[in-house]
């Protein structure tokens, strides 16, 4: 009998779902999804400095279930006026992934280089 494996079972085919997935670049934990990209202050991506002089390239998402906000909201030097920020860490390995911003709504701004679309 002739048998053909369904496409999805083939190792080097990637599903639309997988392409969407964005993982912690340190541990591979699923952090957010490309389809949850968000524009804030006119752009998805921003280059910002914090008061310690550290430069971050950040990208905005409406949600990031794999990142946990930590501590209490602060409005010190906030990059998004009207929003307070909390540090957001990878729920699996604890790496600093970016920030959760809380204001009229809630969104995440994640450090671009700490995300990868490649599964470990
Ligand atoms: C950002 C920080 C804080 C750290 C402890 C790494 N402005 N906060 C968030 O300065 C800042 C923000 O909106 O970088």
């Amino acid at each position: 009998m002739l048998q053909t494996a369904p496409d999805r079972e083939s190792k080097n085919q990637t599903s639309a779902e997988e392409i969407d997935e964005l993982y912690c670049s340190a541990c591979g934990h699923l952090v957010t999804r490309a389809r949850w990209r968000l524009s804030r202050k006119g752009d998805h991506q921003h280059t910002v400095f914090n008061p310690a002089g550290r430069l971050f390239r950040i990208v905005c998402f409406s949600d990031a279930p794999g990142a946990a906000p930590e501590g209490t909201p602060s409005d010190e030097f906030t990059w998004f006026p009207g929003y307070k920020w909390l540090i957001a860490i990878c729920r699996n390995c604890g790496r600093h992934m970016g920030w959760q911003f809380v204001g009229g709504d809630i969104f995440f701004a994640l450090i671009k280089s700490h995300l990868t679309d490649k599964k470990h």
Side-chain angles (χ1 to χ4, degrees):
M1 194 195 291
L2 179 70
Q3 287 207 323
T4 54
D7 283 354
R8 203 51 55 76
E9 282 176 23
S10 164
K11 275 281 186 287
N12 45 31
Q13 289 233 359
T14 311
S15 71
E17 276 242 307
E18 272 182 79
I19 289 170
D20 192 43
E21 295 176 344
L22 295 170
Y23 310 98
C24 170
S25 64
C27 77
H29 187 63
L30 177 59
V31 171
T32 187
R33 292 183 179 275
R35 75 169 108 113
W36 295 337
R37 280 187 299 223
L38 200 67
S39 178
R40 278 292 182 267
K41 294 205 296 187
D43 221 326
H44 166 57
Q45 184 173 315
H46 298 267
T47 302
V48 290
F49 279 95
N50 72 7
R54 292 183 59 195
L55 179 145
F56 300 97
R57 193 142 293 146
I58 54 171
V59 281
C60 299
F61 295 90
S62 58
D63 200 3
E70 293 268 300
T72 52
S74 168
D75 54 13
E76 283 178 49
F77 303 97
T78 184
W79 296 319
F80 298 95
Y83 291 86
K84 295 184 176 196
W85 55 265
L86 301 91
I87 292 281
I89 64 169
C90 173
R91 288 189 190 276
N92 183 60
C93 74
R95 188 185 205 192
H96 177 213
M97 296 304 294
W99 298 265
Q100 185 190 60
F101 285 88
V102 184
D105 60 2
I106 293 176
F107 67 95
F108 286 79
L110 303 179
I111 299 163
K112 192 174 186 181
S113 62
H114 290 193
L115 292 171
T116 176
D117 59 5
K118 305 284 183 293
K119 219 165 191 166
H120 267 203

